[in-house]
């Protein structure tokens, strides 16, 4: 046989994407879909019966593609054609039959179920092969559930010594981790698993899924505990563990518990290792600390849409280039249809992702139209009988204030739904936060906003009600980029930015992937919104759709990372001078860039002094000779540098802290049973000097306004209320009182201050600021500094604990021992405070500790009841055997 002969399959699939007839039929179907979705009369150019049949034949053919590089693209196109046609002709049995074949060929058993087809291949050999594949793809421990082929490929590598995989957002990367953990626990492997997630919001989501959906009664049967904080009391028992933590929490857990056993480390959203922000170095630090162990864990990295997932394995410096375990797939089990909404010119277009062109669909509306107008059209049209079950909508903004204000404006157009679950959540928000909080009102209309600083109990109930279809429109910020899984049918994207920076291709693809989730549906609509005469806005969206995610580099990587060469040189020159005091390189250096520079500088200093051959140290080899490193080590040692794994604090801060504690500095004491504001502010001002907040926390704790620390004064007010155990409602009311008495310099944005006015608009700005300060300043920044203070105090005074430990007070938001204990067994601060005032759910045990009554599982407070249902699975010993 001649070498230049081509197989029939290759010949067909090499050119099928360019088939003129296929592209013509597909574009007809796409345009008809767009017109029906928008309730626009479908034009006369719609598909006839012959064309419909031909397009189905094309879909079936595409689903069988064996092209060497385009087979995933072909299979996804096949699925998309079925989705479009099934939407246009929902009662057509021929479409369902072909759809069954297509989804069978793509191993999308969930798609077959959603399509509701009883397809059976007419050929017995094909049926036998399909049955074999179903058996092969069956998910261990999950009856009647099956992997996609790409999922199965990744799953089979999760027991490798190290593995990195990349897949679209909708492919269920974290689901694979959870199923692997469940299989190992079911098979009694007795190993500890850690999952790193990027946000505290995801800690709640992932841990709840593991407790309720995955492990459930396996937790008690196999003696496992799910741990979400280093203070969890379960750590003191003899159990095996599943840790769900942010990289910061894991770092401090490893510092506090250096012998903590971890057998598997799963890093979800691993593309954060390529980010330019102050959080990225924490990933490098925890990976390196675990890598150096005598028995290191197995490392698994999962990232969205990355073309080179193997790059993250470079952190494991003992891996040779030819010995890399990585997998990339572009296959998605769901389809996203992309639209462009031009509010200025009142045009709607649909994007053909195969021809890379926009197709105009219709004029939207005469007169001036705003986003809220179109959302109202979508809300009413998508609930009509013509477009069934397609009304869950998410609207993305790059700022919290825009998300909140648009949500309120939209809700003002709607009526209350008189739904008992929505009304119950509204009442709880009004009680726990404030009656004037916009969210308490708009939630009754099925509208909400999802932003990072919302209390976790409220945020999770919002997510649950959205999943249940009771909340139909959700306004959000970039928290949605971090992996929250919601059943959105429509996603409106109003900006190309994340906060103030331009969205990266990874961010963009990740955000689009948040609509259309295989857990819930087969497809979703992405609507890009422009409202300017500048036509470049629309073209930028199209360009972003056309742009593939480029190969990623590590943040610290020489010549390719986001840490620039001048920044890397600046770190080296600072260390060469014998100092670890890394100041801003220039006045206009962004806070993100500065935090990244400083933290990597602290890691490098420790690695040089301790001779640790980390990837961070290796990445500076182009700027540092062995002689340079020897001189740095000598100078730093002469200057009293003490290596520390805590990359939030540098040695100059630690030295000043040690001297202050030796000289008698301690936390303020209570007098008359209360903390006093003047004592707190005096202490915070001392810490400001010791920790050099004006230098290292210049936009928050050390912010100087008219020669004074105005922000620090405000933080002091909230800190006093927080550690005194006051509820959010009380804290917010005290905040209102404070700003009435101190109306000057009220921050309405990061850069703008005005005079406070006690109106509902200003109050909502205050509510948002209060919640954000508690989350980011009290519970993160101050908590970390107090942790350092407490540890240094114990070291100097040679004690393992001491009364009046403010780190503990901040961590738990109270000084009450009973409330602290309730949080240590796993309850939130809000629930622990609730139980403190509802003693009917508690039994005082003989040893002085309290037990929970099982009546708590029927508590009328929904948030408390939800937590109790998690608790009885994860900490059953906390409940009394008898009521």
């Amino acid at each position: 046989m001649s070498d230049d002969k081509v197989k029939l399959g290759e010949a067909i699939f090499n050119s099928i994407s360019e088939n003129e007839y296929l592209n013509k039929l597909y574009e007809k179907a796409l345009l008809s879909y767009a017109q029906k979705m928008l309730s626009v009369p479908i034009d006369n150019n719609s598909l006839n019966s012959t064309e419909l049949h031909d397009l189905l034949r094309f879909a079936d053919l595409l689903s069988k593609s064996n092209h060497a590089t385009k087979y995933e693209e072909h299979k996804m196109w096949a699925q998309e054609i079925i989705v479009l046609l099934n939407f246009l002709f929902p009662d057509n049995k021929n479409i369902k039959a072909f759809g069954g074949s297509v989804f069978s060929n793509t191993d999308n058993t969930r798609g077959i179920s959603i399509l509701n087809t009883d397809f059976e291949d007419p050929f017995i050999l094909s049926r036998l092969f399909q049955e074999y594949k179903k058996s092969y793809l069956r998910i261990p421990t999950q009856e009647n559930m099956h992997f996609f082929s790409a999922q199965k490929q990744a799953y089979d590598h999760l027991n490798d010594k190290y593995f990195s995989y990349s897949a679209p957002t909708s492919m269920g990367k974290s689901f694979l981790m959870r199923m692997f953990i469940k299989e190992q626990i079911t098979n009694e492997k007795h190993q500890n698993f850690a999952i790193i997630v990027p946000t505290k919001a995801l800690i709640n989501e992932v841990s709840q899924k593991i407790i309720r959906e995955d492990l459930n009664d396996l937790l008690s049967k196999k003696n496992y505990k799910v741990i979400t904080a280093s203070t969890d009391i379960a750590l003191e028992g003899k159990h095996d563990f599943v840790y769900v933590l942010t990289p910061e929490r894991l770092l401090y857990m490893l510092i506090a518990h250096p012998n903590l056993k971890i057998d598997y480390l799963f890093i979800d959203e691993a593309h954060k290792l390529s980010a330019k922000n102050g959080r990225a170095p924490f990933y490098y630090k925890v990976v390196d600390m675990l890598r150096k162990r005598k028995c290191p864990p197995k490392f698994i990295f999962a990232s969205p849409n990355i073309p080179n997932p193997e790059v993250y394995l470079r952190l494991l410096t003992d891996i040779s280039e030819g010995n890399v375990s990585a997998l990339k797939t572009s296959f998605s089990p769901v389809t996203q249809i992309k639209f462009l909404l031009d509010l200025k010119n009142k045009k709607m277009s649909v994007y053909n992702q195969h021809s890379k062109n926009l197709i105009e669909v219709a004029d939207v509306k005469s007169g001036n139209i705003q986003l809220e107008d179109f959302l109202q059209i979508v809300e009413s049209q998508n609930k009509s009988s013509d477009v069934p079950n397609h009304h869950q909508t998410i609207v993305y903004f790059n700022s919290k204030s825009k998300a909140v204000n648009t949500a309120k404006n939209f809700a003002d157009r709607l009526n209350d739904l008189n739904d008992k679950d929505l009304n119950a959540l509204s009442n709880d928000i009004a009680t726990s936060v404030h009656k004037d909080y916009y969210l308490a009102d708009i939630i009754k209309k099925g509208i909400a906003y999802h932003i990072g600083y919302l209390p976790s109990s409220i945020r999770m109930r919002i997510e649950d009600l959205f999943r249940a279809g009771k909340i139909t429109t959700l306004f959000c910020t970039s928290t949605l980029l971090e992996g929250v899984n919601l059943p959105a049918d429509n996603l409106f994207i109003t900006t190309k930015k994340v906060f103030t920076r331009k969205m990266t291709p990874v961010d963009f693809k990740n955000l689009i992937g948040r609509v259309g989730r295989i857990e819930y549906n087969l497809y979703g609509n992405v609507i890009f919104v422009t409202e300017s005469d500048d036509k470049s806005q629309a073209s930028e969206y199209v360009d972003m759709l056309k742009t593939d995610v480029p190969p990623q580099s590590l943040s610290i990587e020489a010549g390719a990372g986001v840490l620039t060469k001048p920044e890397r040189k600046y770190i080296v020159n600072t260390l060469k001078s014998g100092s670890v005091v890394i100041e801003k390189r220039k006045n206009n250096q962004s806070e993100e860039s500065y935090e990244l520079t400083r933290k990597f500088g602290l890691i490098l200093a420790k690695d040089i002094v301790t001779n640790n051959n980390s990837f961070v140290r290796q990445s500076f080899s182009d700027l540092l000779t062995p002689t340079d490193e020897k001189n740095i080590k000598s100078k730093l040692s002469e200057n009293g540098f003490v290596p520390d794994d805590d990359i939030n604090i540098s040695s100059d801060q630690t030295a000043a802290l040690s001297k202050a504690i030796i000289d008698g500095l301690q936390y303020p004491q209570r007098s008359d049973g209360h903390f006093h504001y003047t004592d707190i502010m005096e202490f915070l001002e001392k810490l400001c000097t010791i920790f050099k907040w004006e230098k290292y926390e210049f936009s928050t704790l050390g912010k100087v306004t008219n020669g004074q620390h105005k922000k620090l004064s405000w933080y002091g007010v909230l800190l006093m209320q927080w550690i005194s155990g006051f509820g959010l409602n009380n804290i917010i009311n005290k905040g209102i009182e404070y700003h009435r008495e101190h109306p000057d310099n009220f921050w309405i944005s990061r850069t703008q201050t005005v005079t406070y006015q006690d109106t509902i608009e200003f109050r909502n700005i205050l509510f948002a600021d209060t919640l954000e300060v508690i989350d980011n300043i009290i519970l993160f920044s101050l908590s970390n500094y107090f942790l350092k203070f407490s540890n240094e105090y114990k070291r100097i005074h040679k004690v393992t604990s001491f009364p009046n430990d403010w780190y503990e007070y901040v961590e738990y938001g109270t000084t009450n021992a009973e409330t602290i204990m309730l949080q240590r067994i796993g309850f939130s601060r809000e629930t622990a405070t609730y139980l403190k005032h509802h003693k009917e759910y508690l039994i005082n045990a003989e040893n002085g500790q309290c037990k929970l009554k099982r009546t708590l599982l029927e508590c009328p407070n929904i948030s408390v009841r939800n937590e109790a249902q998690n608790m009885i699975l994860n900490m059953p010993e906390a409940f009394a055997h008898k009521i």
Side-chain angles (χ1 to χ4, degrees):
M1 184 179 288
S2 173
D3 291 339
D4 59 2
K5 287 187 177 180
V6 179
K7 293 181 181 179
L8 178 59
E10 292 178 15
I12 292 172
F13 295 118
N14 272 337
S15 59
I16 193 169
S17 298
E18 288 74 44
N19 185 284
E20 187 176 340
Y21 185 45
L22 166 60
N23 280 280
K24 175 188 172 183
L25 297 181
Y26 167 76
E27 188 156 304
K28 276 189 174 186
L30 181 64
L31 182 58
S32 295
Y33 169 92
Q35 290 170 334
K36 182 175 180 180
M37 177 59 66
L38 298 170
S39 295
V40 173
I42 298 177
D43 58 35
N44 294 325
N45 198 30
S46 58
L47 294 167
N48 59 43
S49 59
T50 300
E51 291 173 326
L52 172 61
H53 180 73
D54 290 346
L55 189 53
L56 286 171
R57 293 283 300 275
F58 272 120
D60 194 48
L61 184 61
L62 285 164
S63 72
K64 296 180 171 71
S65 175
N66 61 359
H67 191 277
T69 59
K70 295 183 178 181
Y71 72 96
E72 290 185 325
E73 175 188 326
H74 291 161
K75 289 176 182 291
M76 288 190 293
W77 195 358
Q79 292 184 155
E80 182 182 356
I81 290 170
I82 296 299
V83 162
L84 296 177
L85 296 180
N86 188 61
F87 180 82
L88 290 169
F89 310 102
D91 299 321
N92 189 305
K93 293 181 180 179
N94 205 28
I95 292 174
K96 294 195 183 298
F98 271 91
S101 174
V102 165
F103 285 116
S104 178
N105 291 332
T106 61
D107 299 321
N108 193 340
T109 56
R110 177 62 180 159
I112 294 174
S113 174
I114 294 175
L115 195 62
N116 193 25
T117 176
D118 54 359
F119 165 78
E120 185 176 87
D121 198 296
F123 299 104
I124 187 168
L125 289 178
S126 297
R127 288 203 304 272
L128 290 172
F129 180 64
Q130 289 299 332
E131 284 302 314
Y132 165 76
K133 278 205 300 184
K134 282 182 68 175
S135 176
Y136 171 71
L137 296 172
R138 184 168 287 112
I139 299 175
T141 74
Q142 293 293 112
E143 189 176 352
N144 298 324
M145 290 185 66
H146 300 83
F147 290 125
F148 310 115
S149 291
Q151 283 183 318
K152 173 64 172 172
Q153 281 183 275
Y155 188 85
D156 287 344
H157 284 281
L158 296 186
N159 213 12
D160 291 357
K161 184 178 179 181
Y162 40 78
F163 178 59
S164 182
Y165 65 107
S166 167
T169 306
S170 55
M171 264 295 285
K173 296 178 293 298
S174 58
F175 173 76
L176 295 186
M177 302 174 187
R178 290 168 32 223
M179 291 302 97
F180 179 81
I181 291 171
K182 182 176 181 179
E183 183 186 12
Q184 301 303 300
I185 291 175
T186 301
N187 294 336
E188 300 190 7
K189 296 296 185 180
H190 298 292
Q191 295 169 317
N192 291 346
F193 309 87
I195 302 177
I196 292 183
V197 295
T199 65
K200 286 188 288 186
L202 273 175
I203 288 179
N204 294 324
E205 179 183 335
V206 173
S207 61
Q208 179 164 295
K209 283 185 175 180
I210 290 173
I211 291 169
R212 286 204 192 178
E213 299 176 19
D214 303 339
L215 300 183
N216 203 282
D217 59 354
L218 279 175
L219 287 165
S220 59
K221 288 179 180 178
K222 306 296 184 181
N223 192 30
Y224 267 84
K225 302 293 182 187
V226 176
I227 301 295
T228 59
S230 62
T231 52
D232 286 0
I233 199 168
L235 282 169
E236 299 173 4
K238 293 183 178 180
H239 313 284
D240 293 312
F241 301 104
V242 179
Y243 304 100
V244 184
L245 304 161
T246 59
E248 295 92 339
R249 287 195 184 190
L250 180 55
L251 173 62
Y252 286 117
M253 185 175 282
L254 292 174
I255 292 172
H257 305 278
N259 296 319
L260 190 78
K261 179 173 173 283
I262 297 177
D263 299 288
Y264 291 83
L265 179 69
F266 297 92
I267 300 180
D268 201 7
E269 305 291 318
H271 64 289
K272 301 298 180 184
L273 287 156
S274 301
K276 185 169 188 173
N277 57 55
R279 302 193 69 193
F282 286 95
Y283 288 89
Y284 291 77
K285 186 66 184 177
V286 296
V287 169
D288 188 63
M289 290 174 72
L290 292 170
R291 174 191 66 85
K292 295 183 298 182
R293 288 184 164 188
K294 183 178 180 180
C295 295
K298 296 181 179 181
F299 294 90
I300 298 95
F301 301 83
S303 45
N305 305 301
I306 303 300
N308 58 329
E310 65 278 1
V311 68
Y312 301 124
L313 297 176
R314 296 183 61 189
L315 269 70
L316 310 175
T317 54
D318 58 341
I319 296 177
S320 62
E321 285 192 17
N323 189 24
V324 169
S325 179
L327 175 70
K328 172 195 173 293
T329 178
S330 59
F331 176 78
S332 172
V334 297
T335 294
Q336 286 95 26
I337 312 298
K338 291 92 175 177
F339 294 85
L340 181 71
L341 172 60
D342 184 345
L343 292 174
K344 188 71 176 179
N345 298 301
K346 299 181 283 295
K347 300 286 185 184
M348 190 76 167
S349 303
V350 66
Y351 179 71
N352 184 331
Q353 61 189 15
H354 301 285
S355 67
K356 312 295 184 187
N357 292 319
L358 284 172
I359 309 166
E360 188 172 315
V361 178
D363 292 332
V364 176
K365 184 181 178 182
S366 60
N368 186 35
I369 184 170
Q370 298 175 317
L371 175 60
E372 295 89 332
D373 295 311
F374 196 78
L375 289 173
Q376 198 166 2
I377 294 170
V378 170
E379 178 103 346
S380 59
Q381 289 181 345
N382 281 356
K383 287 181 179 179
S384 71
S385 58
D386 293 333
V387 189
N389 303 320
H390 216 71
H391 59 274
Q392 300 291 105
T393 297
I394 290 176
V395 189
Y396 169 77
F397 290 90
N398 67 317
S399 85
K400 299 178 181 71
S401 60
K402 288 179 182 177
V404 171
N405 290 333
T406 311
K408 180 184 179 298
N409 293 339
F410 181 50
D412 285 344
R413 301 162 175 251
L414 306 175
N415 297 319
D416 288 0
L417 297 176
N418 295 317
D419 179 89
K420 64 180 181 63
D421 292 327
L422 294 175
N423 290 341
L425 180 53
S426 172
N427 290 334
D428 288 346
I429 293 169
T431 301
S432 63
V433 182
H434 199 278
K435 63 181 178 60
D436 289 338
Y437 194 30
Y438 290 146
L439 188 60
D441 180 56
I442 69 175
I443 204 85
K444 293 184 288 187
K445 303 175 180 184
I447 308 300
Y449 42 85
H450 185 290
I451 44 187
Y453 54 70
L454 283 174
S456 61
S457 59
I458 291 174
R459 187 173 58 242
M460 291 179 74
R461 282 175 65 187
I462 288 172
E463 292 169 8
D464 288 343
L465 288 174
F466 189 82
R467 292 186 184 101
K470 296 200 171 189
I471 292 175
T472 55
T473 305
L474 189 61
F475 296 78
C476 73
T477 57
S478 60
T479 54
L480 195 69
L481 284 170
E482 309 292 358
V484 176
N485 295 309
L486 295 171
D489 302 299
N490 308 298
L491 170 63
F492 286 79
I493 298 177
T494 65
T495 175
K496 299 174 286 296
K497 292 184 176 181
V498 177
F499 297 116
T500 57
R501 67 171 175 81
K502 186 175 179 180
M503 209 178 283
T504 66
V506 177
D507 292 335
F508 184 68
K509 301 292 186 188
N510 202 7
L511 180 57
I512 290 174
R514 295 294 154 196
V515 65
R517 309 291 289 180
I518 194 59
E519 294 176 66
Y520 311 103
N521 46 30
L522 287 173
Y523 65 108
N525 302 303
V526 182
I527 300 98
F528 302 100
V529 182
T530 67
E531 47 186 335
S532 169
D533 284 328
D534 186 0
K535 292 184 178 180
S536 65
Q537 274 197 338
S539 63
E540 282 182 23
Y541 278 128
V542 173
D543 288 343
M544 292 171 79
L545 286 168
K546 291 179 180 178
T547 302
D548 292 329
V549 174
Q552 298 296 290
S553 58
L554 294 163
S555 296
I556 194 69
E557 197 166 354
V562 294
L563 194 69
T564 65
K565 190 167 186 177
E567 288 164 347
R568 295 170 67 251
K569 282 185 175 180
Y570 180 69
I571 291 172
V572 167
N573 290 334
T574 301
L575 298 186
K576 282 182 177 180
S577 72
S579 173
V580 292
V581 180
I582 299 174
E583 303 191 30
K584 290 183 73 173
R585 188 169 63 87
K586 51 186 180 180
N587 288 334
N588 64 347
Q589 184 179 13
S590 71
E591 190 166 0
E592 284 189 339
S593 171
Y594 174 63
E595 282 296 303
L596 190 78
T597 303
R598 181 171 179 251
K599 286 182 171 64
F600 274 131
L602 294 175
I603 292 174
L604 178 61
K606 181 178 187 294
D607 288 343
I608 291 174
V609 170
T610 60
N611 198 31
N612 177 41
N613 191 33
S614 70
F615 181 80
V616 171
R617 184 181 176 190
Q618 290 178 21
S619 70
F620 281 87
S621 61
D622 60 323
L623 300 175
L624 284 169
T625 66
T627 301
D628 290 332
E629 290 191 343
K630 183 177 179 181
N631 291 336
I632 288 172
K633 183 175 182 178
S634 176
K635 285 187 177 182
L636 290 179
S637 299
E638 288 173 7
N639 293 336
F641 172 70
V642 179
D644 195 340
D645 287 319
D646 186 352
I647 58 175
N648 268 320
I649 311 290
S650 53
S651 61
D652 58 316
Q653 295 171 298
T654 302
L657 175 63
S658 299
K659 183 179 184 305
I661 292 174
I662 291 170
D663 291 341
L665 183 64
Q666 58 183 330
Y667 289 120
Q669 299 286 335
R670 280 171 286 193
S671 59
D672 302 323
H674 302 286
F675 295 112
H676 294 277
Y677 179 69
T678 53
D679 296 337
I680 290 175
M681 285 311 304
E682 182 181 350
F683 179 69
L684 290 179
E685 288 289 357
K686 288 179 180 177
L687 293 189
C688 185
T689 301
I690 291 167
F691 287 121
K692 302 178 182 178
W693 285 342
E694 288 187 12
K695 178 187 297 183
Y696 296 132
E697 305 279 358
F698 52 85
S699 67
T700 53
L701 295 169
K703 178 74 175 179
V704 178
T705 306
N706 299 326
Q708 295 180 302
H709 296 129
K710 296 280 189 178
K711 279 193 172 184
L712 190 61
S713 299
W714 168 230
Y715 300 156
V717 172
L718 297 182
L719 175 64
M720 183 174 70
Q721 305 298 321
W722 181 259
I723 65 175
S724 297
F726 290 5
L728 279 177
N729 185 268
N730 202 320
I731 292 173
I732 284 171
N733 282 326
K734 291 291 183 182
I736 292 172
E737 290 178 16
Y738 175 85
H739 285 289
R740 282 176 184 157
E741 297 170 5
H742 305 84
D744 294 339
N745 297 307
F746 179 73
W747 293 88
I748 62 170
S749 71
R750 288 177 177 266
T751 58
Q752 185 181 2
T753 61
V754 297
T755 301
Y756 176 77
Q757 302 171 41
D758 197 19
T759 64
I760 193 168
E761 290 79 14
F762 271 77
R763 284 188 175 195
N764 270 273
I765 296 172
L766 174 60
F767 300 157
D769 180 61
T770 301
L771 293 170
E772 190 165 16
V773 168
I774 289 172
D775 193 45
N776 293 333
I777 303 299
I778 307 297
L779 291 176
F780 185 73
S781 298
L782 282 177
S783 177
N784 288 338
Y785 284 113
F786 287 172
L787 174 62
K788 187 68 177 179
F789 186 100
S790 295
N791 286 341
E792 196 66 11
Y793 187 93
K794 285 184 273 191
R795 185 187 69 80
I796 289 170
H797 290 284
K798 296 181 173 57
V799 296
T800 56
S801 63
F802 62 97
N804 197 41
D805 185 343
W806 276 38
Y807 167 68
E808 187 175 84
Y809 296 163
V810 167
E811 186 74 5
Y812 299 111
T814 184
T815 61
N816 181 272
E818 186 177 64
T819 309
I820 290 173
M821 181 57 66
L822 288 167
Q823 290 183 68
R824 289 193 66 205
I825 66 174
F827 285 119
S828 67
R829 179 181 187 264
E830 293 80 11
T831 293
T833 303
Y834 177 91
L835 293 175
K836 176 187 172 185
H837 296 291
H838 290 78
K839 301 289 188 181
E840 66 270 22
Y841 296 113
L842 303 177
I843 298 174
N844 290 322
E846 292 180 1
N847 59 6
Q849 296 187 353
C850 63
K851 291 280 189 178
L852 304 167
K853 292 183 180 180
R854 292 178 181 264
T855 51
L856 185 61
L857 298 169
E858 284 82 44
C859 175
N861 185 302
I862 297 172
S863 296
V864 173
R865 189 168 69 239
N866 286 343
E867 289 190 33
Q869 288 166 352
N870 286 342
M871 188 67 59
I872 199 166
L873 293 170
N874 197 40
M875 288 289 291
E877 61 270 30
F879 285 79
H881 292 295
K882 295 181 180 180
I883 297 177

